[in-house]
Amino acid sequence: MSAPHTDVEQVEAANTAFYEALERGDFEEVSTLWLTPADLGVDEEYHDPADSGVISCVHPGWPVLTGRGEVLRSYALIMANTDYIQFFLTDVHVSVTGDTALVTCTENILSGGPAPAEGDELGPLVGQLVVATNVFRRTSEGWKLWSHHASPVLAETDDDDTEGDDDGTSGLNPDDGPLG
């Protein structure tokens, strides 16, 4: 077994490889970074490879996707409809326990959709702030993704800062619930 600091470095490298493959739109590479039944020692001849060793993914605003088929289809769909995407990862924290690793980070995303019909340039660029949790599992071929969960960060506007009361609640209303 590798030393703990080496494990952390290997998980960081696997996490970086995931985001870089997404930026390049490299579906084959993204596919190889997710756990397969073979990684778990499951005989694919007798088990449905889409359901064995279930992987999961939650994209912001999407329902939970489970199994390689659903998860990889979602990435194919995203890549087909995104002409440009770049991730600037911040607040990256890696924790390794045995053969499982947890990575939390903030995805500062810059993306652009298809170009307008009358031009060849990129569509409008949009920025988004997302927090993500990536769970990796050690395999004989290195660390592979087991689960990815990303949630949008609700940004405050300048108006929110001016609506607060003197009690420091910045305009929060307890009747609005946790998300307003």
Side-chain angles (χ1 to χ4, degrees):
M1 184 186 270
S2 20
H5 71 280
T6 303
D7 285 344
V8 169
E9 291 168 0
Q10 291 171 349
V11 171
E12 286 174 341
N15 195 62
T16 298
F18 171 62
Y19 288 102
E20 288 177 350
L22 289 173
E23 288 179 348
R24 289 190 311 272
D26 188 341
F27 181 76
E28 293 304 316
E29 178 70 13
V30 169
S31 297
T32 66
L33 296 170
W34 283 90
L35 276 174
T36 66
D39 293 325
L40 303 172
V42 174
D43 185 346
E44 294 182 46
E45 186 174 331
Y46 299 103
H47 299 284
D48 180 357
D51 294 326
S52 300
V54 174
I55 61 174
S56 65
C57 180
V58 177
H59 298 294
W62 291 38
V64 176
L65 305 173
T66 57
R68 281 185 61 82
E70 281 190 11
V71 170
L72 294 179
R73 272 190 295 280
S74 74
Y75 283 102
L77 181 64
I78 290 169
M79 289 178 190
N81 290 291
T82 306
D83 285 346
Y84 175 83
I85 191 162
Q86 190 169 10
F87 295 88
F88 300 94
L89 301 182
T90 57
D91 309 315
V92 178
H93 183 271
V94 178
S95 176
V96 178
T97 303
D99 290 337
T100 304
L102 180 72
V103 178
T104 57
C105 61
T106 301
E107 300 173 353
N108 301 272
I109 306 170
L110 185 60
S111 63
E118 65 276 355
D120 291 332
E121 70 279 354
L122 282 175
L125 292 177
V126 177
Q128 185 177 14
L129 192 61
V130 173
V131 290
T133 301
N134 296 321
V135 181
F136 290 85
R137 183 166 173 167
R138 186 194 319 266
T139 72
S140 60
E141 296 182 14
W143 292 93
K144 293 200 176 182
L145 271 164
W146 191 355
S147 181
H148 169 77
H149 186 130
S151 299
V153 174
L154 302 177
E156 291 185 21
T157 63
D158 291 339
D159 293 341
D160 291 341
D161 295 335
T162 60
E163 292 178 10
D165 296 328
D166 289 335
D167 65 1
T169 60
S170 298
L172 295 177
N173 182 342
D175 296 329
D176 288 342
L179 296 177

